[in-house]
Amino acid sequence: MKNGTIREAWQKASSFLQQSGTDSPQFEAEYMMRRLLGVERAAFFAKMADPWPERLEPKLREWLRRRGEGEPLQYIVGDQEFFGRVFEVKPGVLIPRPETELLVEAVLQEGEKWFAGSPVHVVDVGTGSGAIAVTLALEHPHWQVTAIDISEQALSVARQNARKFGVEKRIRWVLGSYLEPLEKEHPPIDILVSNPPYIRSGEIKSLDKTVSFYEPRLALDGGADGLEPYRRITRQLSGWPEKPRLVAFEIGADQGEEVCGLVRQMPRITRVEVRKDLAGRDRMVLGWFNLENQF
């Protein structure tokens, strides 16, 4: 790609991505170039007649090659916006989705309703990039947050994000599988939140290449029927001496009934509800516990 104006470089980059089968070639080419230039959208289009900087050409070529091979744009540029904040993401860590913002909103709303300004202990099971844990710690500074993940790589990225936003020391970081690392001490949990792996094992290969090939299988594979993580967590939580007030799960679009059934089996559950995403699909299951006479 020879240097010319920004417009010419954009047209060539868009054409390359289109030929590679990218769904939104013009936008993605624009986004990459804006990130390299360090400008907002309005400034990018205002600079169309300016020369494309030669020093940025090698990086643009590399990014275009990676995107043309199917690598997610978020891994290429290194971040993803979540709840109005920019979180770092790297290969090996699940990319935060907009749907998960709805789960965070539900936890914040229910937490305010049930606990007001009281101290709250929230456990985020399968924290990944830390998007949920960090957001909750930022939105409610008086909440105590524990973030668990089985992946050391994920915990490292999550801690980087927490450090970036100044809450690393306010979050307890735990390496392990589901609630297992907390089972010896059984700390009181007020809210348990989780966006666990929920894709059926046999369906992962049929997902878009950007997901199936590049995102970590550990964060996708929910077992043969996609429900194994929910079984594990609800089974572990059933043995907890002090039940939480709320459990909040993100789920697959066809898993509402099954996950509700698993949550209902836990002792002292009094209400279970499926909530939908903006497209009208099942997206989360919330379960409330009756704490009367628990202690």
Side-chain angles (χ1 to χ4, degrees):
M1 186 184 297
K2 294 181 180 180
N3 284 3
T5 65
I6 288 176
R7 182 185 301 278
E8 289 169 341
W10 179 42
Q11 290 171 340
K12 291 175 181 177
S14 300
S15 176
F16 174 83
L17 291 178
Q18 186 172 22
Q19 292 172 13
S20 299
T22 305
D23 289 337
S24 305
Q26 288 188 321
F27 172 77
E28 292 196 6
E30 170 207 325
Y31 184 73
M32 290 183 196
M33 293 175 68
R34 283 198 289 111
R35 290 297 299 265
L36 291 172
L37 289 166
V39 299
E40 298 295 329
R41 237 183 151 208
F44 176 76
F45 286 104
K47 291 175 175 288
M48 278 289 170
D50 292 357
W52 172 248
E54 185 176 352
R55 61 184 173 79
L56 298 180
E57 185 64 19
K59 196 67 173 178
L60 178 60
R61 284 177 175 271
E62 178 198 343
W63 284 11
L64 289 170
R65 174 189 59 78
R66 291 167 63 184
R67 186 66 186 117
E69 292 173 352
E71 186 173 350
L73 188 59
Q74 293 91 336
Y75 288 157
I76 295 170
V77 301
D79 55 48
Q80 167 66 27
E81 185 174 325
F82 183 86
F83 222 81
R85 301 179 180 95
V86 178
F87 283 77
E88 294 181 21
V89 292
K90 296 179 180 179
V93 177
L94 190 73
I95 298 167
R97 264 61 170 186
E99 294 83 0
T100 307
E101 294 179 346
L102 301 176
L103 182 67
V104 170
E105 287 178 359
V107 169
L108 290 171
Q109 290 168 0
E110 294 300 320
E112 290 166 1
K113 182 188 302 181
W114 290 104
F115 299 100
S118 303
V120 176
H121 180 211
V122 184
V123 175
D124 175 21
V125 180
T127 195
S129 66
I132 294 175
V134 172
T135 300
L136 294 177
L138 287 165
E139 294 295 319
H140 282 308
H142 60 287
W143 285 13
Q144 174 193 354
V145 180
T146 297
I148 305 173
D149 207 287
I150 197 171
S151 165
E152 291 188 22
Q153 184 177 5
L155 279 180
S156 175
V157 172
R159 295 188 73 153
Q160 287 177 26
N161 281 314
R163 194 175 307 124
K164 174 182 178 180
F165 294 111
V167 294
E168 182 187 13
K169 296 185 185 301
R170 288 185 37 225
I171 299 174
R172 179 186 179 190
W173 307 97
V174 180
L175 179 68
S177 177
Y178 303 110
L179 288 169
E180 284 178 12
L182 302 184
E183 286 185 322
K184 286 185 179 179
E185 55 182 299
H186 284 111
I189 300 171
D190 298 303
I191 299 173
L192 182 141
V193 59
S194 182
N195 175 23
Y198 54 72
I199 307 298
R200 295 175 181 86
S201 302
E203 294 180 358
I204 292 177
K205 288 185 178 179
S206 65
L207 298 174
D208 189 278
K209 181 183 177 183
T210 58
V211 178
S212 63
F213 189 78
Y214 287 96
E215 295 203 64
R217 188 180 182 101
L218 192 64
L220 299 171
D221 193 340
D225 60 359
L227 300 174
E228 189 55 31
Y230 305 105
R231 291 192 189 94
R232 292 278 299 278
I233 296 172
T234 54
R235 189 182 307 125
Q236 291 168 339
L237 205 54
S238 293
W240 230 252
E242 299 177 11
K243 299 298 183 286
R245 170 70 72 179
L246 174 72
V247 58
F249 289 126
E250 182 168 326
I251 62 170
D254 61 349
Q255 294 176 327
E257 185 176 341
E258 291 89 347
V259 176
C260 275
L262 291 170
V263 173
R264 285 194 185 97
Q265 292 175 15
M266 288 191 289
R268 299 192 184 96
I269 278 284
T270 56
R271 180 159 64 98
V272 182
E273 178 183 312
V274 178
R275 293 190 182 177
K276 299 183 182 297
D277 59 22
L278 299 178
R281 298 169 297 197
D282 290 355
R283 185 53 60 191
M284 69 187 88
V285 167
L286 304 182
W288 292 263
F289 290 80
N290 175 11
L291 303 185
E292 186 176 357
N293 299 322
Q294 175 170 297
F295 308 108

